[in-house]
Amino acid sequence: MDCIFCKIINGEIPGKKIYEDDKVIAILDINPVVDGHTMIIPKTHVEDYTKLSDDLLLHIYNVANKLCNDIMDKLNSKGMTFTVNYGDSQQVKHFHLHLLPDYSLKDKEKEVDEVYEILSK
Ligand SMILES: [Zn+2]
């Protein structure tokens, strides 16, 4: 299967990973909408949110909780928006939860590599 997220998870192509456990990874979006734009992705190929098991959904929620405060602290963001796309709005057909730090409408200021340096430590 030609899935970019499965390839990142399998190490076939690089990803800017800021979190990993046995069930999920979190990587920076390479075309960020804002600084710190992160995606939490299950390691198993789950097409969209309707296919997520309860266990996996709960786990993703718990990881989001943990990463949310960490990202906000490190990037001085005052809020966070969680986004799940579905149907034609979902570009990659492998479930991912977007974490979008809210800088109160400030423009993007950092390069992805700079954000990666901060969040991967
Ligand atoms: Zn996949």
Side-chain angles (χ1 to χ4, degrees):
M1 190 183 330
D2 198 33
C3 171
I4 190 166
F5 289 163
C6 283
K7 285 179 179 173
I8 291 172
I9 288 157
N10 295 331
E12 292 169 52
I13 56 174
K16 296 197 180 299
K17 198 185 301 173
I18 63 166
Y19 175 86
E20 179 170 19
D21 62 27
D22 57 331
K23 293 186 181 120
V24 301
I25 61 167
I27 58 171
L28 298 180
D29 195 308
I30 54 165
N31 293 306
V33 177
V34 291
D35 292 335
H37 182 175
T38 299
M39 297 176 293
I40 301 175
I41 307 171
K43 285 186 168 177
T44 50
H45 185 88
V46 177
E47 188 178 322
D48 61 47
Y49 86 96
T50 67
K51 310 285 197 307
L52 282 176
S53 68
D54 291 353
D55 283 353
L56 196 49
L57 182 62
L58 181 61
H59 184 72
I60 290 166
Y61 176 83
N62 286 330
V63 171
N65 259 352
K66 173 184 156 35
L67 291 181
C68 178
N69 288 312
D70 195 40
I71 293 168
M72 284 171 61
D73 285 349
K74 289 179 174 174
L75 296 179
N76 296 317
S77 150
K78 300 294 182 217
M80 186 72 77
T81 301
F82 298 88
T83 304
V84 173
N85 293 311
Y86 176 62
D88 289 349
S89 302
Q90 185 182 350
Q91 289 181 344
V92 177
K93 303 299 183 194
H94 180 144
F95 174 84
H96 49 291
L97 171 66
H98 292 274
L99 274 59
L100 297 157
D102 182 358
Y103 302 95
S104 298
L105 309 179
K106 275 200 305 182
D107 285 340
K108 231 162 45 62
E109 291 174 342
K110 296 181 175 68
E111 295 303 317
V112 176
D113 283 339
E114 195 182 340
V115 172
Y116 179 64
E117 280 301 309
I118 295 169
L119 293 183
S120 61
K121 289 180 173 111

